[in-house]
């Protein structure tokens, strides 16, 4: 055990008796132990019981409820009807707007007959960020108190606006709801749902428990209307969540997480869809990692610790890649010099214990037991997404020449 901690001793690095394999092993172990320790700390924090700290508000604020739809018009029609039929918040206190892109004429006609405001962006093919910016241009800063943003497939609990209103009255300017997967029809969908729930525990519930801002997801979000009017024009790229997080943290605006505001969504349920989703995520992850490297020193010098924590988080490898990297190192050291492999298997065990602590309760947890054997498929698909993305970039460069 003392050999593991010796890598933190400068004298150890100066010892000429250490060979290249041991040096490489020590460096790799240190690099991968840091993200495991980071996740383990937040997994412990996620075990704390959640309690809503916001009492009922004596005031009903005005909300703009925005649904962003890209192509799937029938899905958003169903979501809006569900919202109108189930919400307990006074109807006169909220309006519904739809950012509609690439919808069929039939779906547009149906939406026109519903009590919603439709905004069609001036670009037929546009990002979610651009569609939201187009909507915000249609309203004045003081027209509403707060805005909630949903995807076309989102369905929320009946008291969602009521709970948002209570927290907003208490001073919350940014809130992330608890997004949960609705479809659990395949093993891939269950694993995807489990992954998202682990994210909820580690990067939302645990973060707010320790005083840091919750991570955003991209839907099921609420913001102060005037504040969002100011930051919306500054958003760029294709990842709404990361772009908004950066702007909020630059302004030292704290993001709350409310576990009981459940926002149901549909996740991809096959490996093909997961691979495509993963490649989109990787593009965003690479860009955010570069941004984190650029911004971290500045944020550190400015003393913006919430922003520093977020930038550090963006530099960490994904959980699936972390499992893959540690497994490869453990197997390699088993064949090359097996005494060095012990600590790798211990690190892998700590990582799995971390995930078990952050594992959700209820139906997703029960179904995960039978879907567990599909986990290697997701790990391989995740790693192959990196390779596929590299080949696609090479093809684009060749085509550009």
């Amino acid at each position: 055990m003392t050999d593991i901690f010796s890598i933190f001793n400068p004298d150890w690095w100066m010892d000429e008796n250490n060979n290249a394999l041991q040096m490489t092993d020590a460096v790799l172990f240190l690099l991968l132990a840091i993200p495991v320790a980071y996740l383990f700390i937040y997994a412990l924090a996620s075990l704390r019981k959640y309690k809503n700290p916001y009492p009922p508000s004596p005031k009903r604020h005005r909300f703009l409820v925005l649904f962003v739809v890209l192509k799937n018009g029938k899905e958003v029609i169903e979501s809006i009807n569900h919202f109108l039929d189930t919400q307990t918040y006074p109807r006169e206190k909220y309006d519904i707007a739809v950012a509609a892109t690439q919808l069929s004429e039939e779906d547009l006609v149906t939406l026109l007959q519903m009590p919603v405001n439709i905004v069609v962006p001036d670009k037929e093919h546009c990002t979610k960020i651009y569609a939201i910016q187009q909507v915000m241009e249609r309203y004045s800063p003081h027209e509403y108190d707060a805005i909630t943003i949903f995807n076309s497939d989102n369905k929320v609990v009946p008291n969602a606006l009521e709970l948002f209103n209570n927290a907003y009255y208490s001073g919350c300017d940014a809130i992330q709801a608890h997004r949960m997967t609705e479809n659990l029809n395949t093993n891939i969908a269950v694993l995807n749902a489990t992954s998202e729930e682990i994210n909820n525990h580690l990067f939302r519930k645990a973060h707010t428990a320790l005083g840091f801002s919750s991570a955003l997801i991209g839907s099921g979000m609420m913001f102060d209307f005037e504040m969002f009017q100011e930051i919306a024009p500054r958003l760029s790229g294709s990842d709404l969540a990361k772009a908004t997080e950066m702007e909020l943290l630059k302004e030292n605006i704290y993001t709350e997480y409310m576990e009981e505001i459940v926002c149901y969504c549909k996740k991809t349920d096959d490996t093909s869809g997961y691979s495509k989703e993963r490649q989109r995520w990787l593009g965003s992850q690479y860009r955010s990692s570069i941004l984190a490297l650029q911004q971290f020193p500045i944020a550190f010098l400015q003393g913006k610790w919430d922003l520093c924590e977020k930038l550090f988080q963006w530099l960490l490898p994904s959980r699936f890649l972390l499992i893959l990297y540690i497994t490869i190192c453990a197997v390699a050291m088993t064949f090359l010099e097996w005494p060095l492999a012990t600590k790798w298997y211990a690190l892998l065990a700590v990582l799995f214990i971390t995930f078990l602590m952050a594992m959700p309760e209820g139906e997703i947890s029960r179904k995960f037991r039978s879907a567990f054997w599909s986990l290697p498929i997701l790990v391989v698909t995740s790693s192959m997404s990196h390779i596929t993305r590299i080949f696609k970039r090479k093809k684009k460069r060749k085509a550009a020449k």
Side-chain angles (χ1 to χ4, degrees):
M1 183 61 69
T2 55
D3 290 336
I4 295 176
F5 294 102
S6 64
I7 61 175
F8 298 99
N9 185 354
D11 293 333
W12 184 90
W13 295 93
M14 303 302 292
D15 188 354
E16 294 179 356
N17 294 323
N18 290 320
N19 60 37
L21 179 62
Q22 291 173 325
M23 293 283 286
T24 304
D25 174 72
V27 171
L28 288 175
F29 183 79
L30 180 60
L31 289 175
L32 293 176
I34 289 172
V36 173
Y38 174 91
L39 294 174
F40 184 78
I41 291 169
Y42 282 111
L44 286 175
S46 73
L47 297 177
R48 183 185 300 181
K49 189 173 179 61
Y50 173 85
K51 184 179 180 181
N52 187 335
Y54 304 109
S57 166
K59 181 180 179 180
R60 295 286 193 273
H61 295 91
R62 294 251 321 144
F63 284 86
L64 177 65
V65 180
L66 174 61
F67 284 87
V68 183
V69 52
L70 304 175
K71 296 183 180 180
N72 200 332
K74 290 179 175 55
E75 196 171 62
V76 77
I77 291 168
E78 181 183 345
S79 296
I80 292 171
N81 281 329
H82 178 271
F83 191 90
L84 290 169
D85 291 341
T86 60
Q87 279 303 300
T88 58
Y89 201 69
R91 180 64 186 88
E92 67 276 8
K93 290 295 182 178
Y94 70 89
D95 292 324
I96 298 177
V98 178
T101 62
Q102 304 178 58
L103 295 190
S104 66
E105 186 177 343
E106 179 186 353
D107 292 335
L108 279 173
V109 169
T110 304
L111 284 171
L112 286 168
Q113 296 171 350
M114 299 173 68
V116 300
N117 301 320
I118 303 172
V119 178
V120 180
D122 55 20
K123 291 181 182 178
E124 184 179 357
H125 299 277
C126 67
T127 63
K128 187 176 180 180
I129 288 177
Y130 186 81
I132 291 173
Q133 288 171 334
Q134 291 273 290
V135 172
M136 297 307 292
E137 289 177 1
R138 303 311 199 265
Y139 298 95
S140 63
H142 303 288
E143 200 163 343
Y144 296 95
D145 297 308
I147 179 173
T148 60
I149 300 175
F150 299 108
N151 286 339
S152 59
D153 63 340
N154 289 165
K155 295 176 182 176
V156 292
V157 290
N159 60 341
L161 288 186
E162 194 74 44
L163 293 170
F164 276 136
N165 182 70
N166 295 341
Y168 180 73
Y169 180 80
S170 297
C172 292
D173 287 336
I175 302 171
Q176 173 62 61
H178 177 188
R179 201 170 75 173
M180 184 180 290
T181 304
E182 182 180 21
N183 57 312
L184 302 172
N185 52 321
T186 67
N187 286 345
I188 299 298
V190 171
L191 291 174
N192 225 343
T194 305
S195 177
E196 181 144 303
E197 280 298 280
I198 290 174
N199 280 343
N200 284 330
H201 279 72
L202 294 177
F203 303 122
R204 297 175 185 96
K205 180 183 177 182
H207 269 62
T208 53
L210 294 181
F212 293 108
S213 283
S214 164
L216 295 175
I217 311 178
S219 66
M221 305 180 295
M222 189 225 78
F223 304 108
D224 174 77
F225 197 82
E226 185 177 0
M227 178 268 292
F228 194 68
Q229 276 273 11
E230 292 179 6
I231 71 170
R234 304 201 298 265
L235 302 178
S236 60
S238 57
D239 192 322
L240 173 65
K242 283 186 167 61
T244 308
E245 280 179 342
M246 179 59 71
E247 293 301 326
L248 291 174
L249 292 172
K250 281 181 179 178
E251 300 294 332
N252 284 324
I253 297 172
Y254 177 78
T255 301
E256 179 63 284
Y257 173 64
M258 300 192 69
E259 191 173 49
E260 70 273 48
I261 306 181
V262 180
C263 175
Y264 293 100
C265 67
K266 294 177 182 177
K267 301 291 285 185
T268 182
D269 56 7
D270 56 41
T271 53
S272 175
Y274 177 80
S275 180
K276 291 178 181 177
E277 186 179 85
R278 190 72 185 173
Q279 288 178 42
R280 288 193 297 269
W281 181 86
L282 284 173
S284 172
Q285 182 69 12
Y286 287 137
R287 287 189 293 272
S288 60
S289 296
I290 293 171
L291 180 64
L293 288 171
Q294 295 171 341
Q295 295 289 329
F296 187 88
I298 301 171
F300 184 82
L301 291 173
Q302 292 176 337
K304 295 183 177 180
W305 309 122
D306 206 357
L307 178 57
C308 286
E309 197 282 335
K310 178 60 62 179
L311 294 173
F312 179 78
Q313 179 188 318
W314 288 355
L315 291 171
L316 301 180
S318 70
R319 293 186 309 280
F320 289 140
L321 288 181
L322 200 55
I323 294 172
L324 184 65
Y325 293 156
I326 296 174
T327 302
I328 290 173
C329 289
V331 173
M333 288 303 163
T334 300
F335 287 104
L336 295 173
E337 195 168 342
W338 67 265
L340 296 176
T342 307
K343 64 181 178 297
W344 287 107
Y345 287 111
L347 189 63
L348 194 61
V350 172
L351 185 59
F352 278 112
I353 291 171
T354 297
F355 295 154
L356 287 174
M357 287 193 292
M359 188 73 70
E361 298 178 357
E363 184 181 5
I364 292 177
S365 182
R366 289 192 296 271
K367 290 195 173 187
F368 173 76
R369 295 164 194 166
S370 60
F372 175 79
W373 302 110
S374 298
L375 184 60
I377 298 175
L378 240 62
V379 173
V380 172
T381 303
S382 178
S383 59
M384 289 300 295
S385 297
H386 285 267
I387 300 171
T388 304
R389 187 174 183 275
I390 291 170
F391 280 116
K392 283 186 175 181
R393 289 181 67 182
K394 286 183 176 179
K395 285 183 179 179
K396 286 182 180 179
R397 287 174 184 173
K398 288 181 179 179
K401 291 179 181 178

